Amino acid sequence: MTDVQIKALPHAAGLPHYATAGAAGADLTAAIDADVILAPGARALIPCGFQMALPAGYEAQIRPRSGLALKNGVTLLNAPGTIDADYRGEVGAILINCGAEDFCISRGMRIAQMVIAPAPQARFETVETLDATDRGAGGFGSTGVGA
């Protein structure tokens, strides 16, 4: 288990919490004073009412909630969003309405989930050639769609 320091902001409507004992993602809630109506195709940055200090070598991934996506077509625009260990601002979620109807976001609504994950930095080495693989430069569907 990894310790993450959380600072509640005055407008918080709840802090990250795991809904079940086996949950990988902690639910994040909307820390807004008034409802936000998200029209089809519209996007908005929804504050979550807290700041945090992640340990070095970790990131927080902000991910969509599957129920909002399935039932309403609401998801995260930059899924997953990455919060770096050195960021100390308020956590927020960029929601987008891909559905056909307006979607109302209200105070305290569970809008996203946060997964804390290791994020080691790489050392990049410039080389003249790379080793060959069976796949080579094939990408974007080059392996097909069948079994």
Side-chain angles (χ1 to χ4, degrees), residues 45-105:
L45 175 60
I46 306 299
C48 295
F50 71 96
Q51 297 168 288
M52 67 181 167
L54 292 166
Y58 282 82
E59 68 166 327
Q61 299 173 6
I62 309 302
R63 299 180 180 187
R65 295 196 68 239
S66 59
L68 288 181
L70 176 64
K71 296 174 186 172
N72 306 103
V74 174
T75 189
L76 295 182
L77 192 57
N78 64 326
T82 293
I83 298 176
D84 298 311
D86 59 352
Y87 176 69
R88 293 296 183 270
E90 181 174 6
V91 172
I94 305 170
L95 296 184
I96 185 167
N97 183 354
C98 298
E101 299 177 7
D102 286 355
F103 182 76
C104 179
I105 302 163

